[in-house]
Amino acid sequence: MNASQINVGTFLDHIARALGFATLVNVHNLISKALSTLDTLLVLDNAETFLDAPVDAGRIADIIDGFGARFNVAILLTTRTTVLPPNVAW
């Protein structure tokens, strides 16, 4: 999938499917609820694909921030880009 095919819906759908959700209604709420109950390592590989998306890149970055702000969630984000989002510390 290339960046032009990514939006906030497809981003969340991929995460929901990886978490085993069959239904994709209220996806953000489903993911948030799952992340609130378990210690989680969320691996986001090839982050340049969704962080360079022409539509919704800012919203996707905000969603990642929200997931990572949880005390029980660690995010491993890989990217080939040399520019990190402004809110990601190295």
Side-chain angles (χ1 to χ4, degrees):
M1 184 172 283
N2 65 47
S4 68
Q5 298 171 306
I6 302 289
N7 60 42
V8 72
T10 56
F11 175 76
L12 289 172
D13 288 352
H14 278 79
I15 293 173
R17 285 191 182 107
L19 291 172
F21 292 111
T23 180
L24 298 179
V25 177
N26 297 319
V27 178
H28 191 263
N29 291 339
L30 288 172
I31 295 168
S32 294
K33 188 172 183 177
L35 295 180
S36 69
T37 60
L38 302 170
D39 288 339
T40 304
L41 172 62
L42 182 60
V43 179
L44 301 172
D45 193 20
N46 295 323
E48 67 276 1
T49 304
F50 50 83
L51 293 176
D52 291 341
V55 177
D56 295 338
R59 289 180 60 201
I60 291 170
D62 290 343
I63 289 169
I64 294 168
D65 284 345
F67 293 159
R70 297 173 180 277
F71 73 92
N72 60 320
V73 175
I75 295 178
L76 174 61
L77 186 139
T78 69
T79 183
R80 293 182 182 148
T81 187
T82 58
V83 178
L84 294 175
N87 47 356
V88 175
W90 178 252

